[in-house]
Amino acid sequence: MSRRRKIYEGKAKILYEGPEPGTLVQFFKDDATAFNAQKHEIVDGKGVLNNRISEYVFEQLNRIGLPTHFIRRINMREQLIKEVEIIPLEVVVRNVAAGSLSKRLGVEEGSVLPRSIIEFYYKNDELNDPIVSEEHITAFGWASPPEIDDMMALAIRINDFLSGLFYGVGIQLVDFKIEFGRLYENDMMRVILADEISPDSCRLWDVKTKDKMDKDRFRQDLGGMLEAYREVASRLGILNENEPPRGKGPVLVKSD
Ligand code: UDP
């Protein structure tokens, strides 16, 4: 199907060689997976929505000077990105208790956390992405102490920015997972945001109804996954595919 050389295929995305050195093409698949791919379905159109939503979020982050791998969207399913060396960690930021935090620590789902919490998970499917501490990360050389500092500082900025962005369109950012990569430029290396930010990697709840608008619809068999993703895109003002790709920007939802 593609004329490009495949570099890597994951559960929801494929990376191809880019048009110039130092670039890659990130392709968004329609595959929905959960529980380390034990549950797997094709959700027609999910890749297109995630491409658009992630593009929008990364573009806004680039605009506020937060370094990301995103260069530009190429088409409905592909974006051009900077090639980085992925740090093998999933960085999770939480504002409200849900998912594995609620399960592990017995904190009721939906309770607002006393402060935002950052967690690290080691990216390893065979081990089921175990939670790890900074001690493990530095001892096993997955990232250095300054890289951990950079990731935490960027994660907090991303959380503050995205919490506001989503709140403005009536969505509560409960938690999300991000990944970072090392970008080598001349003799310099810096840590930048990589991967994607989409309803696949975030928990997004409607502010008023607390309806889930994210991958939990798939994980928990709630149905309406695609509709929920479409609603997220629509509220961000990026839904209509016949319109120019830049979108109209977020639409303010007034709280009463
Ligand atoms: N998450 C993700 N990929 C993973 C694990 C988690 O994108 O492999 C996201 C998930 O969508 C949620 C956040 O990270 O927004 C925290 O997930 P949690 O640790 O609660 O795990 P889960 O309950 O999804 O197993």
Side-chain angles (χ1 to χ4, degrees), residues 101-117:
L101 177 113
S102 292
K103 225 176 282 162
R104 204 174 48 242
L105 303 180
V107 186
E108 194 188 349
E109 179 165 294
S111 35
V112 177
L113 298 169
R115 64 179 178 85
S116 301
I117 294 174

Side-chain angles (χ1 to χ4, degrees), residues 11 33-36 90-94 96-104 109 119 121 123 125 128-129 131 173-179 195-196 198-204 214-216 219-220 229:
K11 296 182 204 105
T33 63
F35 315 117
N36 202 2
E90 299 198 334
V91 181
V92 168
V93 184
R94 302 178 183 274
V96 175
S100 70
L101 177 113
S102 292
K103 225 176 282 162
R104 204 174 48 242
E109 179 165 294
E119 298 171 339
Y121 294 81
K123 261 170 77 79
D125 283 342
N128 257 322
D129 298 345
I131 191 164
L173 179 61
V174 170
D175 57 31
F176 60 98
K177 183 269 296 182
I178 43 182
E179 296 183 24
D195 193 50
E196 69 173 295
S198 73
D200 267 7
S201 59
C202 302
R203 283 199 170 90
L204 304 169
D214 55 59
K215 200 163 101 173
D216 272 350
R219 292 191 191 97
Q220 300 172 5
Y229 283 33

Side-chain angles (χ1 to χ4, degrees), residues 33-211:
T33 63
F35 315 117
N36 202 2
Q38 285 173 48
K39 186 173 158 83
H40 183 187
E41 277 170 34
I42 305 294
V43 180
D44 211 11
K46 177 174 83 79
V48 173
L49 284 165
N50 280 355
N51 186 22
R52 297 295 295 261
I53 294 168
S54 199
E55 170 200 12
Y56 180 78
V57 170
F58 274 66
E59 216 163 50
Q60 303 306 312
L61 290 170
N62 278 342
R63 268 190 215 169
I64 63 159
L66 192 134
T68 84
H69 74 164
F70 181 82
I71 303 173
R72 66 182 162 81
R73 187 165 64 83
I74 299 171
N75 57 40
M76 300 273 278
R77 285 186 184 274
E78 293 179 325
Q79 44 185 245
L80 186 67
I81 58 170
K82 294 177 188 164
E83 183 172 23
V84 295
E85 179 185 284
I86 290 287
I87 295 173
L89 297 169
E90 299 198 334
V91 181
V92 168
V93 184
R94 302 178 183 274
N95 300 307
V96 175
S100 70
L101 177 113
S102 292
K103 225 176 282 162
R104 204 174 48 242
L105 303 180
V107 186
E108 194 188 349
E109 179 165 294
S111 35
V112 177
L113 298 169
R115 64 179 178 85
S116 301
I117 294 174
I118 301 179
E119 298 171 339
F120 295 100
Y121 294 81
Y122 177 45
K123 261 170 77 79
N124 185 316
D125 283 342
E126 274 170 38
L127 300 174
N128 257 322
D129 298 345
I131 191 164
V132 291
S133 72
E134 292 179 43
E135 286 283 288
H136 299 114
I137 296 169
T138 51
F140 295 117
W142 298 321
S144 67
E147 286 173 339
I148 295 176
D149 289 348
D150 285 352
M151 287 189 285
M152 291 182 77
L154 290 169
I156 289 166
R157 270 181 85 190
I158 295 165
N159 183 46
D160 286 347
F161 181 74
L162 290 189
S163 292
L165 182 85
F166 282 117
Y167 195 82
V169 297
I171 295 174
Q172 184 172 27
L173 179 61
V174 170
D175 57 31
F176 60 98
K177 183 269 296 182
I178 43 182
E179 296 183 24
F180 294 95
R182 301 183 182 97
L183 178 69
Y184 295 93
E185 280 173 327
N186 307 318
D187 279 348
M188 300 281 287
M189 185 281 286
R190 61 188 178 129
V191 172
I192 69 171
L193 181 68
D195 193 50
E196 69 173 295
I197 296 181
S198 73
D200 267 7
S201 59
C202 302
R203 283 199 170 90
L204 304 169
W205 294 354
D206 183 276
V207 164
K208 285 186 187 149
T209 65
K210 302 289 169 194
D211 273 355

Side-chain angles (χ1 to χ4, degrees), residues 243-255:
E243 282 181 3
R246 295 292 155 238
K248 299 186 292 287
V251 178
L252 185 69
V253 174
K254 292 200 175 70
S255 50

